[in-house]
Amino acid sequence: MHTNSGVIIIRIEMKNIILVLALASSVGVANAQDNPYEFFNALSGGAEFGAATLKEPLISGFIAYNKPKSYLKLKFSSLSQDTYEVNVDGVETTRPGFSEVALAIGKRVKFNANNRLELGAGVALVADLRKYDESNSNTLREKIIQKNAVGLIGEIKYIFRFVDGVGVSLSINGNLNQQKSFAAAGLGLVFSSRLIQ
């Protein structure tokens, strides 16, 4: 973990952009449902822990809206060990050194009652916190700069349902961007009342 007494951060409101996209998608999906119960019944969520080419363990979570042959997914990922103690507007907070927020759409392929494959692609926003090089500076303050980028993502996820509503997932995914492209493989759990349709 990296600590600092003073921090300079360049911030772009990534969350606001993603939330607008997610809200717009959710409203469109919800309007397509005649029964509100059916909409919530089609939601799923999950979490994964895996290894990435970023040389740090990657933790990710998601919430998805599922149809029998397709899905819409909002995903969050961050490095589990690379964090910074930063001072934002006078408030100390811990932030991941690298994080990703993504919106993806994909295809669901059902093999049988307990096995399914998901293939998806979409767009993502990544935030990369880096220490500012002050080797030629006289100040003792440690500075951190946040650099953001838009990337394209792809994922392949295999899900095995071992009990009703709960499955084990194995995935391979990647993010291509101008800031820090990466690939990752993960193992996790998926929760849904309609895990296999």
Side-chain angles (χ1 to χ4, degrees), residues 95-156:
R95 291 192 175 184
F98 183 83
S99 59
E100 171 199 54
V101 182
L103 187 63
I105 188 170
K107 176 77 172 178
R108 308 172 80 208
V109 180
K110 176 183 175 181
F111 298 118
N112 53 47
N114 295 313
N115 294 272
R116 188 181 81 230
L117 187 68
E118 293 183 349
L119 307 170
V123 296
L125 294 172
V126 298
D128 185 21
L129 294 181
R130 294 185 178 182
K131 283 186 176 181
Y132 178 71
D133 184 5
E134 292 189 289
S135 57
N136 297 321
S137 175
N138 294 324
T139 179
L140 297 177
R141 296 180 63 193
E142 185 179 76
K143 298 179 181 179
I144 294 174
I145 294 178
Q146 176 174 315
K147 295 185 178 180
N148 304 307
V150 176
L152 299 177
I153 65 166
E155 69 170 3
I156 301 175

Tab-separated table of all heavy atoms in Angstrom, residues 95-156:
chain	number	residue	atom	x	y	z
A	95	ARG	N	-7.975	4.290	-2.499
A	95	ARG	CA	-8.423	4.042	-3.865
A	95	ARG	C	-7.541	2.990	-4.526
A	95	ARG	O	-6.345	2.938	-4.271
A	95	ARG	CB	-8.364	5.337	-4.691
A	95	ARG	CG	-9.382	6.373	-4.280
A	95	ARG	CD	-9.470	7.472	-5.293
A	95	ARG	NE	-10.520	8.420	-4.981
A	95	ARG	CZ	-10.862	9.443	-5.758
A	95	ARG	NH1	-10.216	9.628	-6.899
A	95	ARG	NH2	-11.832	10.252	-5.413
A	96	PRO	N	-8.153	2.159	-5.374
A	96	PRO	CA	-7.337	1.169	-6.085
A	96	PRO	C	-6.406	1.840	-7.074
A	96	PRO	O	-6.758	2.854	-7.691
A	96	PRO	CB	-8.386	0.298	-6.796
A	96	PRO	CG	-9.583	1.193	-6.927
A	96	PRO	CD	-9.572	2.057	-5.698
A	97	GLY	N	-5.209	1.282	-7.230
A	97	GLY	CA	-4.263	1.853	-8.176
A	97	GLY	C	-4.716	1.706	-9.616
A	97	GLY	O	-4.325	2.481	-10.489
A	98	PHE	N	-5.561	0.704	-9.868
A	98	PHE	CA	-6.087	0.509	-11.208
A	98	PHE	C	-7.498	-0.067	-11.091
A	98	PHE	O	-7.735	-1.002	-10.331
A	98	PHE	CB	-5.203	-0.467	-12.003
A	98	PHE	CG	-5.647	-0.661	-13.429
A	98	PHE	CD1	-5.259	0.245	-14.403
A	98	PHE	CD2	-6.446	-1.719	-13.780
A	98	PHE	CE1	-5.672	0.084	-15.723
A	98	PHE	CE2	-6.873	-1.893	-15.095
A	98	PHE	CZ	-6.471	-0.992	-16.067
A	99	SER	N	-8.443	0.497	-11.815
A	99	SER	CA	-9.824	0.027	-11.758
A	99	SER	C	-10.481	0.144	-13.125
A	99	SER	O	-10.047	0.925	-13.984
A	99	SER	CB	-10.630	0.810	-10.712
A	99	SER	OG	-10.619	2.195	-11.018
A	100	GLU	N	-11.557	-0.610	-13.296
A	100	GLU	CA	-12.271	-0.660	-14.567
A	100	GLU	C	-13.772	-0.702	-14.300
A	100	GLU	O	-14.230	-1.404	-13.406
A	100	GLU	CB	-11.855	-1.911	-15.347
A	100	GLU	CG	-12.693	-2.194	-16.592
A	100	GLU	CD	-12.559	-3.629	-17.070
A	100	GLU	OE1	-12.780	-4.561	-16.254
A	100	GLU	OE2	-12.240	-3.816	-18.250
A	101	VAL	N	-14.527	0.065	-15.087
A	101	VAL	CA	-15.983	0.013	-15.087
A	101	VAL	C	-16.407	-0.231	-16.528
A	101	VAL	O	-16.018	0.520	-17.419
A	101	VAL	CB	-16.611	1.311	-14.564
A	101	VAL	CG1	-18.124	1.190	-14.543
A	101	VAL	CG2	-16.088	1.648	-13.184
A	102	ALA	N	-17.175	-1.303	-16.761
A	102	ALA	CA	-17.475	-1.696	-18.134
A	102	ALA	C	-18.950	-2.001	-18.326
A	102	ALA	O	-19.649	-2.426	-17.398
A	102	ALA	CB	-16.653	-2.928	-18.509
A	103	LEU	N	-19.423	-1.792	-19.552
A	103	LEU	CA	-20.779	-2.123	-19.953
A	103	LEU	C	-20.674	-3.036	-21.169
A	103	LEU	O	-20.062	-2.669	-22.175
A	103	LEU	CB	-21.575	-0.868	-20.301
A	103	LEU	CG	-23.070	-1.040	-20.589
A	103	LEU	CD1	-23.789	-1.561	-19.352
A	103	LEU	CD2	-23.676	0.278	-21.053
A	104	ALA	N	-21.226	-4.249	-21.076
A	104	ALA	CA	-21.069	-5.239	-22.148
A	104	ALA	C	-22.401	-5.865	-22.522
A	104	ALA	O	-23.324	-5.954	-21.709
A	104	ALA	CB	-20.091	-6.328	-21.713
A	105	ILE	N	-22.470	-6.311	-23.755
A	105	ILE	CA	-23.613	-7.055	-24.249
A	105	ILE	C	-23.084	-8.353	-24.828
A	105	ILE	O	-21.979	-8.389	-25.385
A	105	ILE	CB	-24.401	-6.248	-25.310
A	105	ILE	CG1	-25.705	-6.964	-25.674
A	105	ILE	CG2	-23.552	-5.984	-26.544
A	105	ILE	CD1	-26.634	-6.117	-26.533
A	106	GLY	N	-23.859	-9.448	-24.674
A	106	GLY	CA	-23.308	-10.708	-25.117
A	106	GLY	C	-24.337	-11.759	-25.470
A	106	GLY	O	-25.552	-11.569	-25.348
A	107	LYS	N	-23.812	-12.895	-25.893
A	107	LYS	CA	-24.596	-14.048	-26.318
A	107	LYS	C	-24.486	-15.153	-25.273
A	107	LYS	O	-23.409	-15.431	-24.750
A	107	LYS	CB	-24.049	-14.557	-27.655
A	107	LYS	CG	-24.691	-15.811	-28.187
A	107	LYS	CD	-26.039	-15.516	-28.793
A	107	LYS	CE	-26.605	-16.757	-29.497
A	107	LYS	NZ	-27.951	-16.496	-30.068
A	108	ARG	N	-25.614	-15.788	-24.946
A	108	ARG	CA	-25.650	-16.917	-24.020
A	108	ARG	C	-25.906	-18.200	-24.801
A	108	ARG	O	-26.840	-18.277	-25.590
A	108	ARG	CB	-26.738	-16.728	-22.967
A	108	ARG	CG	-26.682	-15.408	-22.235
A	108	ARG	CD	-27.902	-15.229	-21.358
A	108	ARG	NE	-27.759	-15.964	-20.101
A	108	ARG	CZ	-28.788	-16.439	-19.404
A	108	ARG	NH1	-30.009	-16.310	-19.872
A	108	ARG	NH2	-28.583	-17.051	-18.263
A	109	VAL	N	-25.057	-19.198	-24.565
A	109	VAL	CA	-25.195	-20.489	-25.238
A	109	VAL	C	-25.423	-21.561	-24.175
A	109	VAL	O	-24.566	-21.789	-23.315
A	109	VAL	CB	-23.944	-20.836	-26.072
A	109	VAL	CG1	-24.129	-22.184	-26.757
A	109	VAL	CG2	-23.667	-19.743	-27.089
A	110	LYS	N	-26.577	-22.219	-24.216
A	110	LYS	CA	-26.922	-23.246	-23.247
A	110	LYS	C	-26.607	-24.630	-23.817
A	110	LYS	O	-27.076	-24.995	-24.889
A	110	LYS	CB	-28.406	-23.151	-22.896
A	110	LYS	CG	-28.903	-24.239	-21.953
A	110	LYS	CD	-30.394	-24.096	-21.721
A	110	LYS	CE	-30.947	-25.239	-20.876
A	110	LYS	NZ	-32.402	-25.116	-20.666
A	111	PHE	N	-25.776	-25.392	-23.095
A	111	PHE	CA	-25.433	-26.745	-23.519
A	111	PHE	C	-26.430	-27.773	-22.977
A	111	PHE	O	-26.860	-28.669	-23.683
A	111	PHE	CB	-24.018	-27.104	-23.059
A	111	PHE	CG	-22.959	-26.223	-23.658
A	111	PHE	CD1	-22.168	-25.428	-22.856
A	111	PHE	CD2	-22.767	-26.182	-25.032
A	111	PHE	CE1	-21.190	-24.610	-23.413
A	111	PHE	CE2	-21.799	-25.372	-25.597
A	111	PHE	CZ	-21.010	-24.576	-24.786
A	112	ASN	N	-26.755	-27.637	-21.692
A	112	ASN	CA	-27.743	-28.507	-21.058
A	112	ASN	C	-28.275	-27.791	-19.822
A	112	ASN	O	-28.052	-26.585	-19.662
A	112	ASN	CB	-27.145	-29.879	-20.711
A	112	ASN	CG	-25.877	-29.774	-19.887
A	112	ASN	OD1	-25.818	-29.026	-18.910
A	112	ASN	ND2	-24.847	-30.531	-20.276
A	113	ALA	N	-28.940	-28.512	-18.929
A	113	ALA	CA	-29.596	-27.887	-17.780
A	113	ALA	C	-28.631	-27.219	-16.813
A	113	ALA	O	-29.026	-26.342	-16.048
A	113	ALA	CB	-30.435	-28.923	-17.036
A	114	ASN	N	-27.352	-27.597	-16.836
A	114	ASN	CA	-26.412	-27.072	-15.839
A	114	ASN	C	-25.184	-26.392	-16.418
A	114	ASN	O	-24.329	-25.928	-15.664
A	114	ASN	CB	-25.944	-28.206	-14.915
A	114	ASN	CG	-27.067	-28.774	-14.084
A	114	ASN	OD1	-27.848	-28.040	-13.488
A	114	ASN	ND2	-27.183	-30.096	-14.061
A	115	ASN	N	-25.069	-26.319	-17.726
A	115	ASN	CA	-23.867	-25.750	-18.341
A	115	ASN	C	-24.219	-24.676	-19.356
A	115	ASN	O	-25.101	-24.870	-20.204
A	115	ASN	CB	-23.066	-26.854	-19.034
A	115	ASN	CG	-22.509	-27.862	-18.056
A	115	ASN	OD1	-21.426	-27.698	-17.517
A	115	ASN	ND2	-23.269	-28.940	-17.812
A	116	ARG	N	-23.503	-23.553	-19.266
A	116	ARG	CA	-23.759	-22.437	-20.161
A	116	ARG	C	-22.464	-21.711	-20.487
A	116	ARG	O	-21.543	-21.648	-19.667
A	116	ARG	CB	-24.755	-21.455	-19.525
A	116	ARG	CG	-25.220	-20.362	-20.474
A	116	ARG	CD	-26.178	-19.404	-19.809
A	116	ARG	NE	-25.465	-18.415	-19.009
A	116	ARG	CZ	-25.768	-18.127	-17.760
A	116	ARG	NH1	-26.736	-18.784	-17.151
A	116	ARG	NH2	-25.100	-17.213	-17.112
A	117	LEU	N	-22.410	-21.129	-21.681
A	117	LEU	CA	-21.271	-20.327	-22.113
A	117	LEU	C	-21.755	-18.929	-22.467
A	117	LEU	O	-22.816	-18.778	-23.085
A	117	LEU	CB	-20.594	-20.965	-23.327
A	117	LEU	CG	-19.280	-20.331	-23.801
A	117	LEU	CD1	-18.186	-20.567	-22.757
A	117	LEU	CD2	-18.875	-20.898	-25.153
A	118	GLU	N	-20.997	-17.913	-22.064
A	118	GLU	CA	-21.334	-16.529	-22.396
A	118	GLU	C	-20.182	-15.905	-23.187
A	118	GLU	O	-19.013	-16.025	-22.809
A	118	GLU	CB	-21.576	-15.710	-21.129
A	118	GLU	CG	-22.810	-16.143	-20.350
A	118	GLU	CD	-23.087	-15.273	-19.143
A	118	GLU	OE1	-22.203	-14.459	-18.787
A	118	GLU	OE2	-24.172	-15.411	-18.561
A	119	LEU	N	-20.531	-15.223	-24.281
A	119	LEU	CA	-19.565	-14.515	-25.119
A	119	LEU	C	-20.007	-13.071	-25.222
A	119	LEU	O	-21.125	-12.795	-25.673
A	119	LEU	CB	-19.494	-15.146	-26.509
A	119	LEU	CG	-19.233	-16.657	-26.574
A	119	LEU	CD1	-19.434	-17.172	-27.991
A	119	LEU	CD2	-17.832	-16.964	-26.089
A	120	GLY	N	-19.164	-12.131	-24.785
A	120	GLY	CA	-19.587	-10.740	-24.754
A	120	GLY	C	-18.508	-9.752	-25.148
A	120	GLY	O	-17.314	-10.070	-25.180
A	121	ALA	N	-18.935	-8.530	-25.448
A	121	ALA	CA	-18.024	-7.435	-25.796
A	121	ALA	C	-18.689	-6.126	-25.404
A	121	ALA	O	-19.918	-6.056	-25.243
A	121	ALA	CB	-17.701	-7.449	-27.289
A	122	GLY	N	-17.871	-5.088	-25.228
A	122	GLY	CA	-18.431	-3.798	-24.853
A	122	GLY	C	-17.370	-2.732	-24.695
A	122	GLY	O	-16.263	-2.853	-25.231
A	123	VAL	N	-17.728	-1.684	-23.959
A	123	VAL	CA	-16.814	-0.562	-23.735
A	123	VAL	C	-16.539	-0.427	-22.236
A	123	VAL	O	-17.347	-0.847	-21.402
A	123	VAL	CB	-17.388	0.763	-24.279
A	123	VAL	CG1	-17.543	0.693	-25.782
A	123	VAL	CG2	-18.726	1.079	-23.631
A	124	ALA	N	-15.393	0.155	-21.914
A	124	ALA	CA	-15.016	0.300	-20.511
A	124	ALA	C	-14.261	1.601	-20.295
A	124	ALA	O	-13.652	2.148	-21.221
A	124	ALA	CB	-14.143	-0.877	-20.070
A	125	LEU	N	-14.309	2.081	-19.067
A	125	LEU	CA	-13.504	3.211	-18.635
A	125	LEU	C	-12.527	2.697	-17.586
A	125	LEU	O	-12.929	2.004	-16.649
A	125	LEU	CB	-14.386	4.311	-18.034
A	125	LEU	CG	-15.354	4.996	-19.001
A	125	LEU	CD1	-16.302	5.909	-18.239
A	125	LEU	CD2	-14.595	5.791	-20.051
A	126	VAL	N	-11.259	3.009	-17.744
A	126	VAL	CA	-10.244	2.568	-16.789
A	126	VAL	C	-9.602	3.791	-16.133
A	126	VAL	O	-9.445	4.844	-16.753
A	126	VAL	CB	-9.157	1.701	-17.462
A	126	VAL	CG1	-9.763	0.439	-18.035
A	126	VAL	CG2	-8.419	2.482	-18.547
A	127	ALA	N	-9.256	3.632	-14.860
A	127	ALA	CA	-8.583	4.682	-14.099
A	127	ALA	C	-7.272	4.107	-13.568
A	127	ALA	O	-7.264	3.058	-12.921
A	127	ALA	CB	-9.454	5.164	-12.946
A	128	ASP	N	-6.178	4.793	-13.837
A	128	ASP	CA	-4.845	4.323	-13.448
A	128	ASP	C	-4.178	5.391	-12.590
A	128	ASP	O	-3.891	6.490	-13.061
A	128	ASP	CB	-4.028	4.040	-14.705
A	128	ASP	CG	-2.669	3.434	-14.394
A	128	ASP	OD1	-2.518	2.873	-13.288
A	128	ASP	OD2	-1.768	3.515	-15.249
A	129	LEU	N	-3.938	5.068	-11.308
A	129	LEU	CA	-3.253	5.992	-10.409
A	129	LEU	C	-1.752	5.717	-10.449
A	129	LEU	O	-1.330	4.574	-10.287
A	129	LEU	CB	-3.761	5.836	-8.971
A	129	LEU	CG	-5.209	6.232	-8.699
A	129	LEU	CD1	-5.533	6.050	-7.228
A	129	LEU	CD2	-5.463	7.666	-9.117
A	130	ARG	N	-0.975	6.776	-10.630
A	130	ARG	CA	0.475	6.625	-10.703
A	130	ARG	C	1.168	7.704	-9.883
A	130	ARG	O	0.700	8.841	-9.812
A	130	ARG	CB	0.958	6.715	-12.150
A	130	ARG	CG	0.496	5.575	-13.036
A	130	ARG	CD	1.107	5.674	-14.404
A	130	ARG	NE	0.717	4.574	-15.273
A	130	ARG	CZ	1.153	4.417	-16.515
A	130	ARG	NH1	1.988	5.307	-17.029
A	130	ARG	NH2	0.752	3.393	-17.227
A	131	LYS	N	2.289	7.334	-9.291
A	131	LYS	CA	3.090	8.313	-8.570
A	131	LYS	C	3.759	9.263	-9.552
A	131	LYS	O	4.237	8.842	-10.599
A	131	LYS	CB	4.164	7.618	-7.731
A	131	LYS	CG	3.653	6.997	-6.446
A	131	LYS	CD	4.812	6.465	-5.633
A	131	LYS	CE	4.328	5.924	-4.301
A	131	LYS	NZ	5.453	5.410	-3.478
A	132	TYR	N	3.774	10.532	-9.192
A	132	TYR	CA	4.411	11.540	-10.022
A	132	TYR	C	5.911	11.533	-9.756
A	132	TYR	O	6.363	11.521	-8.614
A	132	TYR	CB	3.815	12.919	-9.711
A	132	TYR	CG	4.437	14.049	-10.498
A	132	TYR	CD1	4.211	14.180	-11.862
A	132	TYR	CD2	5.235	14.980	-9.853
A	132	TYR	CE1	4.773	15.220	-12.566
A	132	TYR	CE2	5.799	16.023	-10.561
A	132	TYR	CZ	5.569	16.142	-11.917
A	132	TYR	OH	6.130	17.169	-12.618
A	133	ASP	N	6.696	11.527	-10.805
A	133	ASP	CA	8.147	11.489	-10.676
A	133	ASP	C	8.660	12.856	-10.245
A	133	ASP	O	8.617	13.811	-11.008
A	133	ASP	CB	8.774	11.089	-12.014
A	133	ASP	CG	10.292	10.947	-11.915
A	133	ASP	OD1	10.827	11.073	-10.798
A	133	ASP	OD2	10.918	10.695	-12.958
A	134	GLU	N	9.131	12.931	-9.000
A	134	GLU	CA	9.633	14.198	-8.459
A	134	GLU	C	11.141	14.148	-8.204
A	134	GLU	O	11.656	14.773	-7.300
A	134	GLU	CB	8.911	14.529	-7.160
A	134	GLU	CG	7.447	14.871	-7.345
A	134	GLU	CD	6.849	15.406	-6.061
A	134	GLU	OE1	6.676	14.626	-5.131
A	134	GLU	OE2	6.583	16.614	-6.008
A	135	SER	N	11.833	13.367	-9.004
A	135	SER	CA	13.273	13.228	-8.808
A	135	SER	C	14.007	14.545	-8.980
A	135	SER	O	15.082	14.747	-8.414
A	135	SER	CB	13.833	12.193	-9.797
A	135	SER	OG	13.533	12.572	-11.141
A	136	ASN	N	13.420	15.473	-9.744
A	136	ASN	CA	14.056	16.777	-9.956
A	136	ASN	C	13.347	17.894	-9.202
A	136	ASN	O	13.525	19.067	-9.498
A	136	ASN	CB	14.075	17.109	-11.455
A	136	ASN	CG	14.890	16.120	-12.253
A	136	ASN	OD1	15.944	15.664	-11.800
A	136	ASN	ND2	14.416	15.772	-13.448
A	137	SER	N	12.539	17.515	-8.218
A	137	SER	CA	11.773	18.508	-7.467
A	137	SER	C	12.317	18.648	-6.055
A	137	SER	O	12.849	17.703	-5.482
A	137	SER	CB	10.300	18.110	-7.418
A	137	SER	OG	9.573	18.994	-6.609
A	138	ASN	N	12.171	19.839	-5.501
A	138	ASN	CA	12.633	20.097	-4.132
A	138	ASN	C	11.546	19.844	-3.098
A	138	ASN	O	11.817	19.863	-1.901
A	138	ASN	CB	13.105	21.551	-4.007
A	138	ASN	CG	14.345	21.803	-4.842
A	138	ASN	OD1	15.204	20.931	-4.970
A	138	ASN	ND2	14.441	23.004	-5.407
A	139	THR	N	10.317	19.613	-3.531
A	139	THR	CA	9.239	19.405	-2.586
A	139	THR	C	9.259	17.994	-2.026
A	139	THR	O	9.712	17.062	-2.674
A	139	THR	CB	7.864	19.661	-3.261
A	139	THR	OG1	6.842	19.428	-2.295
A	139	THR	CG2	7.648	18.715	-4.426
A	140	LEU	N	8.763	17.850	-0.796
A	140	LEU	CA	8.710	16.543	-0.145
A	140	LEU	C	7.335	15.897	-0.298
A	140	LEU	O	7.135	14.775	0.148
A	140	LEU	CB	9.045	16.688	1.346
A	140	LEU	CG	10.458	17.183	1.666
A	140	LEU	CD1	10.618	17.341	3.169
A	140	LEU	CD2	11.501	16.228	1.098
A	141	ARG	N	6.427	16.608	-0.917
A	141	ARG	CA	5.088	16.079	-1.069
A	141	ARG	C	5.069	15.003	-2.149
A	141	ARG	O	5.647	15.155	-3.215
A	141	ARG	CB	4.103	17.191	-1.446
A	141	ARG	CG	3.940	18.266	-0.390
A	141	ARG	CD	2.963	19.312	-0.864
A	141	ARG	NE	1.633	18.745	-1.054
A	141	ARG	CZ	0.656	19.370	-1.700
A	141	ARG	NH1	0.876	20.550	-2.246
A	141	ARG	NH2	-0.522	18.815	-1.817
A	142	GLU	N	4.376	13.919	-1.873
A	142	GLU	CA	4.221	12.835	-2.831
A	142	GLU	C	2.966	13.095	-3.647
A	142	GLU	O	1.889	13.276	-3.093
A	142	GLU	CB	4.115	11.495	-2.103
A	142	GLU	CG	4.084	10.307	-3.030
A	142	GLU	CD	4.012	9.013	-2.253
A	142	GLU	OE1	2.916	8.690	-1.747
A	142	GLU	OE2	5.056	8.346	-2.130
A	143	LYS	N	3.107	13.115	-4.952
A	143	LYS	CA	1.977	13.422	-5.817
A	143	LYS	C	1.543	12.187	-6.593
A	143	LYS	O	2.356	11.361	-6.991
A	143	LYS	CB	2.356	14.535	-6.795
A	143	LYS	CG	2.725	15.849	-6.121
A	143	LYS	CD	3.105	16.896	-7.147
A	143	LYS	CE	3.502	18.202	-6.469
A	143	LYS	NZ	3.901	19.243	-7.448
A	144	ILE	N	0.239	12.084	-6.805
A	144	ILE	CA	-0.319	10.987	-7.571
A	144	ILE	C	-1.216	11.579	-8.655
A	144	ILE	O	-2.002	12.486	-8.401
A	144	ILE	CB	-1.137	10.035	-6.679
A	144	ILE	CG1	-0.201	9.340	-5.686
A	144	ILE	CG2	-1.870	9.003	-7.515
A	144	ILE	CD1	-0.930	8.498	-4.673
A	145	ILE	N	-1.067	11.057	-9.848
A	145	ILE	CA	-1.875	11.510	-10.971
A	145	ILE	C	-2.780	10.370	-11.416
A	145	ILE	O	-2.338	9.231	-11.545
A	145	ILE	CB	-0.985	11.972	-12.143
A	145	ILE	CG1	-0.193	13.219	-11.754
A	145	ILE	CG2	-1.845	12.268	-13.376
A	145	ILE	CD1	0.741	13.710	-12.833
A	146	GLN	N	-4.036	10.669	-11.629
A	146	GLN	CA	-4.971	9.669	-12.150
A	146	GLN	C	-5.144	9.880	-13.646
A	146	GLN	O	-5.518	10.953	-14.101
A	146	GLN	CB	-6.330	9.778	-11.468
A	146	GLN	CG	-7.368	8.817	-12.043
A	146	GLN	CD	-8.659	8.819	-11.271
A	146	GLN	OE1	-8.654	8.777	-10.047
A	146	GLN	NE2	-9.775	8.884	-11.977
A	147	LYS	N	-4.851	8.845	-14.408
A	147	LYS	CA	-5.018	8.891	-15.851
A	147	LYS	C	-6.161	7.954	-16.236
A	147	LYS	O	-6.202	6.814	-15.803
A	147	LYS	CB	-3.730	8.478	-16.557
A	147	LYS	CG	-2.584	9.456	-16.319
A	147	LYS	CD	-1.353	9.069	-17.128
A	147	LYS	CE	-0.240	10.073	-16.928
A	147	LYS	NZ	0.970	9.713	-17.714
A	148	ASN	N	-7.066	8.457	-17.084
A	148	ASN	CA	-8.236	7.688	-17.492
A	148	ASN	C	-8.200	7.392	-18.984
A	148	ASN	O	-7.600	8.145	-19.760
A	148	ASN	CB	-9.519	8.461	-17.159
A	148	ASN	CG	-9.595	8.835	-15.697
A	148	ASN	OD1	-9.454	7.982	-14.828
A	148	ASN	ND2	-9.810	10.109	-15.421
A	149	ALA	N	-8.839	6.310	-19.368
A	149	ALA	CA	-8.882	5.941	-20.781
A	149	ALA	C	-10.141	5.125	-21.055
A	149	ALA	O	-10.680	4.468	-20.168
A	149	ALA	CB	-7.634	5.146	-21.165
A	150	VAL	N	-10.582	5.178	-22.299
A	150	VAL	CA	-11.707	4.372	-22.759
A	150	VAL	C	-11.147	3.157	-23.488
A	150	VAL	O	-10.209	3.277	-24.275
A	150	VAL	CB	-12.621	5.172	-23.705
A	150	VAL	CG1	-13.745	4.296	-24.247
A	150	VAL	CG2	-13.191	6.383	-22.981
A	151	GLY	N	-11.699	1.992	-23.208
A	151	GLY	CA	-11.196	0.779	-23.834
A	151	GLY	C	-12.312	-0.104	-24.373
A	151	GLY	O	-13.493	0.099	-24.083
A	152	LEU	N	-11.928	-1.093	-25.159
A	152	LEU	CA	-12.836	-2.107	-25.670
A	152	LEU	C	-12.584	-3.404	-24.914
A	152	LEU	O	-11.435	-3.785	-24.693
A	152	LEU	CB	-12.615	-2.332	-27.170
A	152	LEU	CG	-12.843	-1.126	-28.071
A	152	LEU	CD1	-12.506	-1.487	-29.520
A	152	LEU	CD2	-14.280	-0.632	-27.971
A	153	ILE	N	-13.653	-4.075	-24.496
A	153	ILE	CA	-13.496	-5.295	-23.718
A	153	ILE	C	-14.106	-6.493	-24.439
A	153	ILE	O	-14.978	-6.346	-25.292
A	153	ILE	CB	-14.144	-5.178	-22.327
A	153	ILE	CG1	-15.671	-5.025	-22.458
A	153	ILE	CG2	-13.545	-4.027	-21.546
A	153	ILE	CD1	-16.411	-5.244	-21.168
A	154	GLY	N	-13.625	-7.670	-24.085
A	154	GLY	CA	-14.179	-8.912	-24.573
A	154	GLY	C	-14.124	-9.942	-23.463
A	154	GLY	O	-13.226	-9.898	-22.619
A	155	GLU	N	-15.081	-10.863	-23.417
A	155	GLU	CA	-15.082	-11.870	-22.372
A	155	GLU	C	-15.661	-13.192	-22.864
A	155	GLU	O	-16.530	-13.226	-23.733
A	155	GLU	CB	-15.866	-11.407	-21.143
A	155	GLU	CG	-17.363	-11.308	-21.350
A	155	GLU	CD	-18.124	-11.090	-20.052
A	155	GLU	OE1	-17.487	-10.967	-18.999
A	155	GLU	OE2	-19.366	-11.048	-20.110
A	156	ILE	N	-15.134	-14.266	-22.305
A	156	ILE	CA	-15.665	-15.608	-22.489
A	156	ILE	C	-15.840	-16.192	-21.094
A	156	ILE	O	-14.884	-16.251	-20.313
A	156	ILE	CB	-14.721	-16.505	-23.312
A	156	ILE	CG1	-14.475	-15.894	-24.697
A	156	ILE	CG2	-15.309	-17.907	-23.445
A	156	ILE	CD1	-13.465	-16.670	-25.518
